[in-house]
Every structure is written in structure tokens, then in C-alpha cells.
Amino acid sequence: MLAAFAFNTTENLPIGLLRPISADLRVSLPAVGLLVTGYGVTVAATSLPVAQVTRAIPRRHLLTGVLAVFALASWAPLAIGRSYPGLLAARIVTALAQALFWAVSGPVAVGLFPPSRRGRIIGLVSVGGSLAQVLGVPAGTWLGIAWGWHTPFLVLGGVGLVALAVVAALLPTTVPGQGHAARGTAPDARRFTAVLAATALSATGVFTGFTYLTAFLTGTGRFPDASVSVLLTVYGGAGFAAVVLAGTVLDRSPRAVPALLAAGQTAGLWGLYASGGHGRAVTVGALVLLGVSTGPFFMATQNLVFRTVPGRTELGLAGNSAAFNVGVAAGASAGGLLLPTVGVRGLFLVGGLVTALALAALLVPVGRAEGAVTGGRDSRHE
């Protein structure tokens, strides 16, 4: 949870520190924005390769190394001074570490507990990542403005070091590929492909509109500028609460939960489109629904990967992480391309259409292979 919090905060922290970093390094705001987009592209492009290359390394040693790299890369900006290329290089190294962390941490955490608690454990790990949006980025932004933009990165490196110490001291050393969490419990190539498609489509649809949420709220929604940060906090808080609650029901309804969340995303995006300028209460309600349904969606698909992947789970989780980051980049790009044509309000209509496709992918009938392997108790869960 600590490591997930640190990684997710680090990924998005430059968004809140655009101007301080820009002024200190004497680069443009789009150049600072590249620190975020380049990070996401790196995670998307390297998740599968780094998981494949490291598949034979004992997980305890691998996680320790990943967290050591994270800590050093977080402290690098202070050592390199006012060097934009150096900061960009440190970000890419951190992104490589994050790509491997999300592929490995899930199977390691799940493998420590009985299979019946898999969804709950995934939910607990995901709480750390969700807190990054609600607490990490706002606190890091405040710290960076008050004490210099290097400061929150130094603090996050320390958090990573604490996580490293816990892993090194307490995590058992296990042989990769062994244990109930190492391979899919109900492998089905068609279902697994549908999960990856749903992850990518969901992220694409949400970020087609969400990328321009501030412009929508202050323009079409007619909210004052001062209220935007409050509304974003409400959105993040709704997502965090949903992550906490979803982990308790994933084990009982592994397929129903992500389908319900995809439906909620569609309703939330279309609700924002329908509410434009006609009622602030409807807009806030749609925003809360979008937060509730978006926050736990990725962890719900990760849970499905544990069931359906036809092979090693870390490779499946890496593929799902790559699909999510591809979707984020595709959604942001699509929003920018469509904005002149459909307007900021229309982006939410288009985004809802794409998340509806994600729902359709999740409702693909179960293949024979999954039903045959699952059997008994697990087949009833389907």
C-alpha cells in the first residue's frame, strides 16, 4: 500500500507543480506536461517486456530492487539540479520501476493469503494507489509550492525506502511461478482478451472527457473557478470510498462488479453531457457517479486477470496495466482531436459511447475453457 501510494503520487505530481517546475527549469508548461505523458507512455510500452525479462527472479529480491530504484530516482532531481533532461531521465527510470511493480505486487500480495480472499487483498493494495489522488497529489503540491518542487519527491523517496525495508525484512522468498496466485485459476484466452479490451476502452472513454473536466465545469457547468478543486476532491473521495467497498464484494461477484462499474462510467459520462448548464446538482451527482465507478474499475479487471489469464499472472497483469495506460493516452488524444468538432460537452457523450463498448466486452459469454476449468465452487461465482 505504501509503495502503491508513492508510485501513483509520483506519476501525477508534476500536474500540480507545473508552474514551479517550469519556472525553476526554465522550460515551457507543455515540456513539464511531457513528464506525465512520457511517464504513462513508458509504463504502457515496457510493462510486458520488463515482466517477461524478470520472470525468473525471486519476487522478494525483485520488489526490493524495484523500490531501491524508485527511491534513488525520486532523489535524483535534487542531485541533478536545474536539468530538464536529467529530470526526464529520472522520470523514465521511475516509470520502468512502476511498470514492474504493478506486474509483480499483485501476485505477491495475493499469494500470501487464501484464494478466497483474493479480491479483498487486491482492494487493500489498491487503497494505497487511490489515496495518491485524494491525499498524495494535493499534499505533494502544497509541499512543493511551500518548500520547493524537489521536496515532495524527496519525501516520496523516503516512503519508498520504508516500503523497501518492510519487504526486505518480512516478505518470504518464493520461487517465481509457484503458488495459487502464479497462474490463472480459470484460464480462458477469449475472456482474458475481452478483459484487456474492456480496460483499454474504459480508460479511453473516461479520459476522453475527464482530460477536459475543468473546462467543462467552469464553462458549460458554470461553476466558479474556486470550486473546481473542491469538485475534484469530491470526485477523488468518491473513487477512494468505492475502492474500499469494492474489495469486500469482488470475491463474491468477480464478473458482476466490473460490468456494473462500466455501466456506471457510461451513466456518469452521459449524465455530465445531459446536465451541461441545466443544473449544478445533476452535474455533481454525475461526477460522483463517475468517481465511484472509475476508482475501483482497474482493480476489478486485475481481479479478472487472476482468473482468466492463460499463463503467468504477472504477465497478464502487466498486459492489463499496459492496456490501461494506452487507453489513458488514447482518450486524452481523442479528446484533443474531437474538441474543435463536438465541443467540450460533446466529449462526454463520445466518452460514454466508448465505455459502453467496454461494458459490451465484459458481457461476452463465458468460453467453454473457463467453464471446464473453473468447476464447482468457482463456477458458481461466475
Side-chain angles (χ1 to χ4, degrees):
M1 290 173 69
L2 280 172
F5 172 81
F7 270 117
N8 277 20
T9 302
T10 297
E11 179 176 6
N12 295 291
L13 190 54
I15 294 175
L17 298 174
L18 280 174
R19 295 193 182 280
I21 295 176
S22 173
D24 189 46
L25 300 185
R26 299 174 184 174
V27 296
S28 65
L29 292 179
V32 181
L34 183 61
L35 297 174
V36 178
T37 56
Y39 193 108
V41 169
T42 301
V43 173
T46 62
S47 290
L48 274 172
V50 296
Q52 181 73 22
V53 169
T54 60
R55 67 188 186 279
I57 301 176
R59 308 291 90 173
R60 174 172 168 268
H61 300 159
L62 187 58
L63 276 176
T64 302
V66 163
L67 292 169
V69 169
F70 169 77
L72 291 174
S74 297
W75 296 331
L78 184 63
I80 61 180
R82 291 184 173 89
S83 170
Y84 176 79
L87 178 59
L88 182 60
R91 294 282 295 175
I92 291 174
V93 170
T94 307
L96 287 168
Q98 178 166 325
L100 190 53
F101 171 78
W102 284 118
V104 174
S105 59
V108 169
V110 168
L112 296 172
F113 297 88
S116 60
R117 299 181 64 188
R118 178 177 56 198
R120 183 173 300 179
I121 300 307
I122 295 173
L124 287 174
V125 174
S126 298
V127 165
S130 297
L131 270 178
Q133 296 298 326
V134 180
L135 176 63
V137 174
T141 300
W142 173 83
L143 196 61
I145 293 174
W147 298 94
W149 65 267
H150 297 90
T151 305
F153 290 102
L154 297 178
V155 173
L156 289 167
V159 173
L161 200 61
V162 172
L164 183 157
V166 173
V167 167
L170 301 178
L171 190 70
T173 302
T174 56
V175 178
Q178 295 186 2
H180 70 84
R183 295 185 178 274
T185 57
D188 184 333
R190 183 175 66 170
R191 173 67 65 194
F192 175 65
T193 302
V195 171
L196 296 185
T199 298
L201 288 168
S202 166
T204 300
V206 169
F207 279 88
T208 295
F210 187 78
T211 304
Y212 297 90
L213 180 63
T214 298
F216 172 83
L217 292 173
T218 58
T220 306
R222 301 176 184 175
F223 286 90
D225 291 345
S227 67
V228 171
S229 60
V230 176
L231 292 171
L232 291 177
T233 301
V234 169
Y235 170 87
F240 173 72
V243 166
V244 174
L245 293 175
T248 64
V249 298
L250 271 177
D251 293 314
R252 295 194 297 270
S253 305
R255 288 186 60 218
V257 170
L260 183 62
L261 294 173
Q265 290 174 359
T266 303
L269 289 166
W270 284 348
L272 288 170
Y273 168 76
S275 71
H278 300 299
R280 291 182 179 179
V282 177
T283 300
V284 173
L287 186 62
V288 170
L289 177 58
L290 185 62
V292 166
S293 54
T294 300
F297 184 81
F298 180 69
M299 81 174 198
T301 58
Q302 293 284 76
N303 187 49
L304 280 180
V305 168
F306 274 103
R307 301 176 67 85
T308 61
V309 61
R312 292 272 290 269
T313 52
E314 66 261 29
L315 297 180
L317 295 171
N320 199 42
S321 178
F324 176 80
N325 282 280
V326 166
V328 171
S333 300
L337 292 173
L338 292 171
L339 184 60
T341 304
V342 303
V344 67
R345 181 185 173 196
L347 295 179
F348 293 89
L349 175 63
V350 175
L353 291 172
V354 179
T355 56
L357 294 177
L359 174 60
L362 290 169
L363 296 179
V364 171
V366 179
R368 291 182 179 179
E370 185 178 354
V373 175
T374 305
R377 179 170 167 236
D378 278 344
S379 64
R380 289 196 299 272
H381 284 200
E382 289 292 334

